Amino acid sequence: SKGVSLVSLRMPPKKEVVEERLGPWALGKFSSRLKVGIVGLPNVGKSTLYNCLTNCAIPAENFPFCTIEPNETRVNVPDERFDWLVDKYKPKSIVNPYLEVVDIAGLVKGAAQGAGLGNHFLSNIRAVDGIIHAMRAFEDPDIVHVEDKVDPVRDIEIITAELREKDKEFVGKRLAELMKDKAKANSNAAAKKEWEAEVACCEKIIAYLEDGKEVRRGVGEGDADYWTTKEIVYLNEYSLLTAKPVMYLINLSEADFRRKKNKFLKPIHDWVMAHGGGPMIPYSAAFESEYMHMDDEAKAEYCKEGNVTCALPKIIKTAFNAIHLIYFFTAGPDEVKGWVIRKGYKAPQAAGTIHTDFERGFICAEVMSFDDLKQHGTEAEVKAVGRYRQEGKMYVVQDGDVIFFKFNVTNKK
């Protein structure tokens, strides 16, 4: 008989497990109740921006079971898809997707050591999920700058240094706690391994911060894969200030906003790009506060005359995306609603934002993309071309999905 080659008897090679590369979305709370906070030094235009956003706010009575703090507001997220659905179904009820915005009082140099109301401000920043850095790039002798001279790059250096200091203090305290528990951690092999991993992570975080870097830069951004999946679990437990996503709003004078030029724009751009990047939006608080009090006709004339557009819709949408939020739609003649969820939610979790019973008794999600609905015109036509589908528990909901959930909940005996 013919011999059998040893090669043919070898086991097939083990399938290499490729771990998904983590992006910035991996940092932060996995929740749909996320907020952004407006942060900056005093007198940079934070309150004016917040007041302009408040003018877009949803009345508090729309949220009867929620306490909304005086320094918080919920603003509609503008979306042409939502407007199209409303126009199509002409529903009895309309509920826009929204973004929660928090006005955080001015930070000052030395806040990490308690200067001003430093610790209070920094705890307010800890409670939000994304940071909007408001930067002053306008000269005005009537509005005193807390550091005497307008220099937005110096301002952002002050703020980021304070946030790094507070993070170093927090992680240092955690490391001290771990060192106290060293004997207990050595009681068994599993506890020792976990203890060693967290100690190494704390030391790594402190070294990174001392190098002048923000934690968020180590995930899919500046240093790409600096933090491991395990370390990201610790980072999310710590809720560090420098792990939060950021965007930069550059407050110009109305004249500079109209002519689209300002001497500070290039230095700000260079600084941001050297510090991990992030969305930058020039705007004018003076322009926006004037604009918000006009009627629609006057607004159109004002924008045409100055060749400018209101920056608030772009600011709101950018902030919404920055904290990794998306939304799906439920749509029909009774109601069109945008449901806000965290990017990465699976179908049952998304169903749970409507009602906990929907998640508990989840059967399936009937899904069509907004683009398919718009292209084909009706649900029946989407079905006719085979683009209407049933998805199960592992389906990751996509931004703009139009969904009908099927569920069945039996009463517990």
Side-chain angles (χ1 to χ4, degrees), residues 23-78:
W25 54 266
L27 286 173
K29 286 189 301 207
F30 211 67
S31 161
S32 57
R33 277 297 307 275
L34 303 182
K35 304 173 182 179
V36 293
I38 305 173
V39 175
L41 297 185
N43 295 343
V44 298
K46 285 190 320 302
S47 295
T48 309
L49 170 64
Y50 181 77
N51 291 339
C52 292
L53 289 168
T54 304
N55 198 51
C56 312
I58 305 163
E61 57 266 26
N62 285 15
F63 303 97
F65 304 110
C66 289
T67 302
I68 300 176
E69 299 298 324
N71 65 329
E72 292 183 19
T73 190
R74 290 179 172 185
V75 297
N76 289 331
V77 179

Side-chain angles (χ1 to χ4, degrees), residues 97-163:
Y98 64 84
L99 172 70
E100 294 195 51
V101 183
V102 182
D103 184 19
I104 295 171
L107 202 72
V108 294
K109 198 170 186 176
Q113 284 74 46
L117 292 173
N119 289 323
H120 179 64
F121 298 157
L122 291 163
S123 67
N124 284 345
I125 297 172
R126 192 175 298 285
V128 300
D129 305 283
I131 296 172
I132 298 174
H133 284 296
M135 304 173 73
R136 176 173 171 176
F138 65 90
E139 312 267 9
D140 187 334
D142 295 330
I143 304 175
V144 178
H145 194 289
V146 70
E147 292 289 324
D148 291 332
K149 184 182 169 208
V150 174
D151 181 348
V153 170
R154 177 210 52 218
D155 294 354
I156 194 71
E157 287 277 12
I158 288 172
I159 288 173
T160 52
E162 295 298 334
L163 301 185

Side-chain angles (χ1 to χ4, degrees), residues 19-20 22 26-27 174 178 189-202 204-205 215 218-219 225-238:
E19 194 172 284
E20 181 187 2
L22 297 174
L27 286 173
R174 178 62 191 146
L178 287 165
K192 185 180 180 185
K193 187 178 177 185
E194 186 67 30
W195 181 87
E196 287 173 346
E198 189 169 1
V199 166
C201 181
C202 286
K204 187 175 172 181
I205 294 167
V215 166
V219 186
D225 304 313
Y226 187 78
W227 307 115
T228 66
T229 305
K230 175 73 171 171
E231 286 163 350
I232 285 170
V233 173
Y234 293 129
L235 289 170
N236 286 342
E237 283 176 15
Y238 302 159

Side-chain angles (χ1 to χ4, degrees), residues 74-334:
R74 290 179 172 185
V75 297
N76 289 331
V77 179
D79 192 309
E80 290 172 357
R81 299 171 301 179
F82 184 84
D83 297 340
W84 186 90
L85 289 168
V86 169
D87 190 52
K88 173 180 170 52
Y89 289 104
K90 299 181 173 48
K92 295 170 192 165
S93 168
I94 299 168
V95 186
N96 292 70
Y98 64 84
L99 172 70
E100 294 195 51
V101 183
V102 182
D103 184 19
I104 295 171
L107 202 72
V108 294
K109 198 170 186 176
Q113 284 74 46
L117 292 173
N119 289 323
H120 179 64
F121 298 157
L122 291 163
S123 67
N124 284 345
I125 297 172
R126 192 175 298 285
V128 300
D129 305 283
I131 296 172
I132 298 174
H133 284 296
M135 304 173 73
R136 176 173 171 176
F138 65 90
E139 312 267 9
D140 187 334
D142 295 330
I143 304 175
V144 178
H145 194 289
V146 70
E147 292 289 324
D148 291 332
K149 184 182 169 208
V150 174
D151 181 348
V153 170
R154 177 210 52 218
D155 294 354
I156 194 71
E157 287 277 12
I158 288 172
I159 288 173
T160 52
E162 295 298 334
L163 301 185
R164 284 196 305 273
E165 279 304 310
K166 203 64 185 172
D167 279 352
K168 275 199 298 189
E169 180 190 311
F170 181 92
V171 179
K173 283 179 181 174
R174 178 62 191 146
L175 189 56
E177 287 170 11
L178 287 165
M179 289 307 177
K180 280 184 190 172
D181 291 341
K182 186 172 184 179
K184 200 191 330 179
N186 285 328
S187 60
N188 67 70
K192 185 180 180 185
K193 187 178 177 185
E194 186 67 30
W195 181 87
E196 287 173 346
E198 189 169 1
V199 166
C201 181
C202 286
E203 289 171 344
K204 187 175 172 181
I205 294 167
I206 291 168
Y208 198 70
L209 292 165
E210 283 179 343
D211 201 23
K213 294 179 178 178
E214 284 74 42
V215 166
R216 69 177 174 279
R217 289 173 62 187
V219 186
E221 289 193 6
D223 296 328
D225 304 313
Y226 187 78
W227 307 115
T228 66
T229 305
K230 175 73 171 171
E231 286 163 350
I232 285 170
V233 173
Y234 293 129
L235 289 170
N236 286 342
E237 283 176 15
Y238 302 159
S239 189
L240 298 177
L241 306 178
T242 64
K244 299 178 189 297
V246 298
M247 60 183 283
Y248 303 89
L249 298 188
I250 304 151
N251 188 7
L252 311 176
S253 68
E254 186 167 349
D256 282 358
F257 184 60
R258 285 173 180 271
R259 69 193 187 102
K260 299 176 176 61
K261 286 184 181 177
N262 177 280
K263 66 181 180 181
F264 296 115
L265 288 175
K266 187 175 186 311
I268 291 170
H269 177 269
D270 292 347
W271 185 92
V272 170
M273 296 316 291
H275 290 78
M280 291 169 270
I281 302 178
Y283 79 107
S284 168
F287 168 85
E288 299 296 347
S289 54
E290 184 86 19
Y291 178 88
M292 73 178 181
H293 294 300
M294 298 177 179
D295 60 36
D296 289 347
E297 195 177 320
K299 282 177 179 176
E301 186 59 37
Y302 193 50
C303 289
K304 186 180 175 186
E305 179 193 314
N307 190 28
V308 288
T309 54
C310 172
L312 294 184
K314 185 177 182 182
I315 290 170
I316 294 167
K317 287 167 90 167
T318 305
F320 187 87
N321 293 332
I323 55 173
H324 317 302
L325 291 175
I326 61 170
Y327 40 85
F328 66 91
F329 301 114
T330 51
D334 287 332

